[in-house]
Amino acid sequence: MSSTIYKEIAAHLVAAEVEKREVEKVTATFKPDLTVDEGYLVQEEIVKIKLEEGKRMIGPKMGLTSLAKMQQMNVNEPIYGYVFDYMLIEDGGKVSLQDLIHPKVEAEIAFVIAEDIEGPGVTGAQVLSKTEYVLPALEIIDSRYKNFNFTLPDVIADNASTSRVVFGSSLKKPEQFELDLVGAVLKINGEIKELGAGAAVLGHPANSIAMLANMLSRKGEKVRKGDMILTGGITGAVMLKSGDFVSAKFDGIGEVTFKVTD
């Protein structure tokens, strides 16, 4: 697979995002035998496109952090993508369906990193010692693929379905909590849709960032000071529709909300 093809697939997926249209998965159109490593090479081209357009990277995000989902997909590690500034929605703000394709929302704990974290061999305890704050977050995932139909390499190539993020305004020190025991309630229009706890993310959200640092180290990269990182869904993902008021409340950490418009 030549670098030309990586660029072609990346441009195709970026165009689908910009034009808010779903496309067939890469493995059905461009390359049936696309590998995980090749998916990340496509993702790197997407990152280059966005940076060249002047967009600013906020930090990585983790996906596939449920042990059950990993077993289902027959993988032994999660996946990652990247969040950019244009994806940010203010706490209590509005998300327009016109800007998206078929969005779903899930509740997550986000970390603000105080020091560079470089693998290999990083542990969750080391991550916690280098974390400045934790905060509540809602991630809106929006795969560019038709009917959310994709393989693992496909979703990696599509920047792990990253679309929009709402970070809460409450910043807490991580040592105040046993983050694996922090519960979260995801409500839509006041109705409980999903429940979860920090332990749903690889046993502890800090383990997610440790795995990220170790994965990045394979290509000479690291988690960087100042990164705001989504550690993975505590709850399942719920489809959004116009008029929805979405809230997630995390024990002791705070609440984050947004409204869905046409």
Side-chain angles (χ1 to χ4, degrees):
M1 188 169 175
S2 72
S3 60
T4 303
I5 295 296
Y6 301 143
K7 294 180 193 305
E8 185 181 347
I9 296 172
H12 171 71
L13 292 172
V14 168
E17 179 189 1
V18 171
E19 296 164 16
K20 296 99 177 173
R21 59 179 172 82
E22 56 186 14
V23 295
E24 295 292 339
K25 60 189 177 184
V26 172
T27 52
T29 52
F30 286 87
K31 195 172 192 293
D33 59 347
L34 186 77
T35 66
V36 164
D37 288 343
E38 289 171 336
Y40 278 116
L41 289 171
V42 173
Q43 186 189 109
E44 287 174 14
E45 293 297 333
I46 288 177
V47 168
K48 286 180 190 174
I49 290 170
K50 293 183 185 299
L51 292 175
E52 286 168 2
E53 291 173 345
K55 296 176 171 64
R56 181 173 61 87
M57 188 184 290
I58 301 301
K61 59 149 274 188
M62 295 295 280
L64 209 63
T65 51
S66 154
L67 294 173
K69 283 184 185 176
M70 287 168 63
Q71 289 170 356
Q72 181 184 348
M73 298 288 284
N74 195 29
V75 296
N76 58 9
E77 64 185 13
I79 63 173
Y80 61 85
Y82 291 94
V83 176
F84 290 85
D85 54 354
Y86 75 94
M87 300 175 174
L88 300 183
I89 304 295
E90 66 179 351
D91 188 8
K94 294 179 180 179
V95 173
S96 172
L97 287 183
Q98 291 185 17
D99 295 334
L100 305 169
I101 302 169
H102 39 207
K104 298 179 180 180
V105 64
E106 56 189 30
E108 308 198 17
I109 295 175
F111 281 46
V112 179
I113 304 303
E115 300 176 42
D116 288 358
I117 306 172
E118 192 165 4
V122 176
T123 66
Q126 290 171 320
V127 168
L128 287 171
S129 73
K130 295 185 177 184
T131 297
E132 188 167 12
Y133 299 111
V134 294
L135 64 157
L138 286 163
E139 183 184 7
I140 300 156
I141 55 174
D142 191 28
S143 172
R144 270 52 72 172
Y145 300 124
K146 191 173 184 179
N147 299 323
F148 273 85
N149 178 19
F150 48 72
T151 67
L152 186 65
D154 284 311
V155 69
I156 291 168
D158 188 35
N159 194 25
S161 304
T162 315
S163 177
R164 296 291 185 272
V165 179
V166 188
F167 289 115
S169 52
S170 170
L171 299 172
K172 303 289 187 181
K173 291 292 186 181
E175 56 268 23
Q176 294 178 249
F177 306 94
E178 293 182 68
L179 291 171
D180 54 335
L181 301 181
V182 169
V185 180
L186 177 63
K187 292 183 180 181
I188 296 184
N189 303 321
E191 180 183 347
I192 295 175
K193 293 293 185 180
E194 291 281 338
L195 300 168
V201 181
L202 297 170
H204 192 294
N207 293 337
S208 176
I209 297 177
M211 290 193 79
L212 171 65
N214 295 332
M215 292 165 74
L216 290 175
S217 74
R218 294 176 202 157
K219 50 185 181 182
E221 297 179 10
K222 59 186 175 182
V223 172
R224 298 183 180 277
K225 176 182 178 180
D227 280 349
M228 295 182 72
I229 303 178
L230 293 169
T231 53
I234 286 179
T235 66
V238 180
M239 191 70 76
L240 293 171
K241 64 183 188 299
S242 180
D244 281 346
F245 178 77
V246 182
S247 68
K249 190 168 185 177
F250 300 74
D251 293 341
I253 294 179
E255 188 172 11
V256 57
T257 70
F258 69 90
K259 176 83 184 236
V260 183
T261 63
D262 290 335

